[in-house]
Amino acid sequence: ATTLSDVAALAGLAPRTVYLRFATKADLLQRCVGVAIVGDAETVALADRSQMVDAMEGPALDDRVRRMSSITATLMSRAGALLAVAQQAAATEPVIAASAQAGRDDTRRILAEFWRRADEDGLLPPERDLEWLTDTATLIAHADTYLLLTRTTGWHIGAYEDWLTKTWMRLVAASTLPVCRRSWKCTSA
């Protein structure tokens, strides 16, 4: 029910200023989410930021996972409330729904690169299922999962970060187990 004029008044701006920059509330929400995700208004993508590069190049797997968990938790801390609004708005705003899906796709792309690099650097077990590890780790890192966790557990951001680190490390260990892809019966390769 909030209008762009309401937003302008709350921000202490003339409505025209807001309307010139944002044609719709969806445009404004997209911009707010984008800034919250990266933490500033710079045009450098999250994947190209120094902390992300550091997380993908650390000397040990546990160091990389801790860094990636910290990046993810910090992002959720900044953007979580806006992502919850976007989750609600996606049902009636196609542009928000498309942005949410693009965000999910970016999360998977970044984590696929993260796990691929760890594998290439010899930091993963030899007989791991890299596709399963990527898919499962991505599901755990999605904003949808974070929002569900905050609604059901009441965790603070530090507890979420700790859970993410431990869970990802446990997934690495589990990535060598047989995976059932197309049937209820699991067999080893």
Side-chain angles (χ1 to χ4, degrees), residues 152-179:
T152 60
T153 65
W155 287 348
H156 57 80
I157 201 68
Y160 168 72
E161 182 177 338
D162 184 54
W163 172 82
L164 190 57
T165 299
K166 288 177 181 174
T167 302
W168 277 345
M169 291 304 293
R170 289 174 181 157
L171 286 177
V172 170
S175 70
T176 61
L177 300 174
V179 177

Side-chain angles (χ1 to χ4, degrees), residues 1 17 19 28 31 34 38-39 46 56 69 71 94 97 106 108 114 141:
T17 302
Y19 281 106
L28 175 60
R31 179 67 174 145
V38 296
L46 181 63
M56 292 200 188
S69 296
I71 291 167
D106 281 346
R108 186 176 194 300
F114 176 79

